[in-house]
Amino acid sequence: MAVQAQRQASAAPARPRPKRSREEEVLVWPDLVFVEFISAVLFTITFTILSVFINAPLLNRANLNVTPNPSKAPWYFGNLQELLLHMDKAWGGVLLPTIFLGFLAAIPFIDRSRHMQGVWFGTKYSARITIITVIYATVVIFGLVSFDAGEATGTERLTRWIPACAESAEDVSWPCLRDDVGAEHLGIVSTKDISKRLEFEVLGVKWPEDLDHIAWPFNDSIGDFDLGGIGLGSIHGWGGEHFNIPSIMAEQVIPLTLTIVVFPGLIIYTLFRIGWVRTRRDVLIVMFTGAVMAFVTLTLVAAFFRGQGQDLIWPWKIKVDEG
Amino acid sequence: MSVTEEPGKPRNLRERLNVLQDRIYDRLFHNYVWQSIFRSGYPNTPRNQMLVVATNVFLHLHPTRIHRTHVKITHTYCLGGLTFFMFLVLTITGVLLMFYYVPSVDRAYQDIAALETNVKFGLLMRNLHRWTAHAMVILVFLHMMRVFYTGAYKPPREFNWVVGVVLLVLTLVLSFTGYLLPWDQLALWAVTVGHGIGGSAPYLGDETQIVVFGGFEIGQPALIRFYTLHVIALPLLAAIMMAVHFWRIRRDGGMARPL
């Protein structure tokens, strides 16, 4: 009992609370209750007026045989739909959002200082680094989205200097981009081109054709177990499955490294060297702001810049084909 | 003026009116029934004001006294409170919508169409439900940003931030499950996109589609699942988490303030 009490005393340090004098206090009734009441009334009036004038959408009855083009997720999931266009589905739709939520939940356990809580932008440069990160993240995300729609935005011009591959598939020692037969030569149109159109040869290994069918380790020894019998149809062994290294590079490694490591690392390191990022709190401000702005920017792109076939297009040019 | 004073004889019209006014006030607020509901009159002394906050079931979420800075609008912009208020409005309008809605693929769309045209204030209720739902998603997001940028997640409020993240997810899922219910093209294909995203879960894609959406296509199983989640399971869970969230604000010493 005593040991336990001692352990508790050492494990949970006394949590100091800010002191306040009676002069600094106000009574909840009326000072706070009235503010709450008035804001509730204002919102009720605003939303009632809004609802009188703007009707909620109701299209035709649902019909599985008629697919509207584009079909869009609700706006707050538009960002996920957008991510799916740029990377492996499992990463864009499930894993990356899970990591994002995990990061959010972990914030207070990373930044444990009690310093400057309860004031807006508590550290010296936090307002400044927030604004910089907002601009940076917006530019980076818009840039990456346009890079991945090279033909629509013209960013393929940046990589047009990579030569076209020769007609005969033999000579690929130098990196080259394979064009459709008879088509005009294009640079890298989307990241998927890295696994499809880009060809080169290092030490006698040809990219991508020699690397897109690598057996899993233990491919044969683990074999073909299948949990379909107990209702878990998609869990099964590795028998007969293979790595497609170029596609893993283009759809997982490159997009994830850029978005989770390279771009956040770059801005945090730069701001650290300038001396504006000093504490964990500052690092978290950059990461949180960057992640939120990525979320917001992707949502905007999905909502306003995606036309038929999810092509990147100006908002005023979007035409919805009702199917 | 005290109502218990012995009134003298009224001398002119003004005094007669005053007497009448007092009588009406007495009848209204000093009768047996009223006083059984509200035990004291309007709280006009600090003691009564604290008592009313501490003893009223709806107000006792609050402490009786708070720090001066916390009633400044720019400190919180009321974002958390407004999110909760949106939840209340959504509950009320949602219950009204449930009176007219049957979650069946054969009826759902007609029910919504009939609600808009045949039911008095039906369209208004649906509009209110829709716009406050969007507002709740935006407000909960802004509330999270407010809490982050004011450093209000710092010790001892770490766990309440985690509860907040859970509530953010619940809000999104509540909104998403409601999206399917009108059973129009917008609903079906938006949820189909979500269905595809769920199906892309590594190793558990098929299972996710079967458990959450009731199959490999959006149909009656998905509609009834989404309806049940939307009207009972998720609101109940959200209400419980909100209770924890609000309780912990009090337990952790009210809103954050520099040490």
Side-chain angles (χ1 to χ4, degrees), chain A residues 17 22 24 26 28 36 51 55-56 59-61 63 66 76 104 111 113 118 121 232-234 281 289, chain B residues 62-66 68 105 109 126-127 131 149-150 153-154 157 161 175 183-185 203 207 251 258:
Chain A
R17 285 186 177 182
R22 275 291 149 92
E24 294 173 320
V26 289
V28 162
E36 291 174 342
S51 302
N55 286 338
L59 306 183
N60 291 329
R61 189 177 182 282
N63 185 349
V66 179
Y76 42 83
L104 282 184
D111 168 31
S113 85
F121 300 106
L232 298 168
S234 57
R281 164 84 174 147
T289 312
Chain B
H62 302 93
T64 55
R65 289 162 285 122
I66 54 173
R68 200 169 276 288
V105 290
Y109 182 75
R126 176 161 183 251
N127 292 348
W131 302 136
Y149 288 115
T150 54
Y153 59 81
K154 287 163 175 269
R157 297 176 183 79
W161 166 270
S175 183
W183 202 249
D184 64 342
Q185 281 288 77
Y203 294 105
E207 283 70 22
R251 290 294 90 196

Side-chain angles (χ1 to χ4, degrees), chain A residues 9-63:
Chain A
S10 61
R15 300 193 133 164
R17 285 186 177 182
K19 288 217 164 29
R20 68 182 185 212
S21 65
R22 275 291 149 92
E23 291 81 57
E24 294 173 320
E25 287 175 345
V26 289
L27 289 169
V28 162
W29 182 298
D31 294 82
L32 179 63
V33 175
F34 276 31
V35 171
E36 291 174 342
F37 179 72
I38 287 165
S39 50
V41 169
L42 282 179
F43 263 65
T44 310
I45 293 172
T46 312
F47 277 92
T48 310
I49 293 172
L50 190 75
S51 302
V52 167
F53 289 106
I54 308 176
N55 286 338
L58 186 68
L59 306 183
N60 291 329
R61 189 177 182 282
N63 185 349

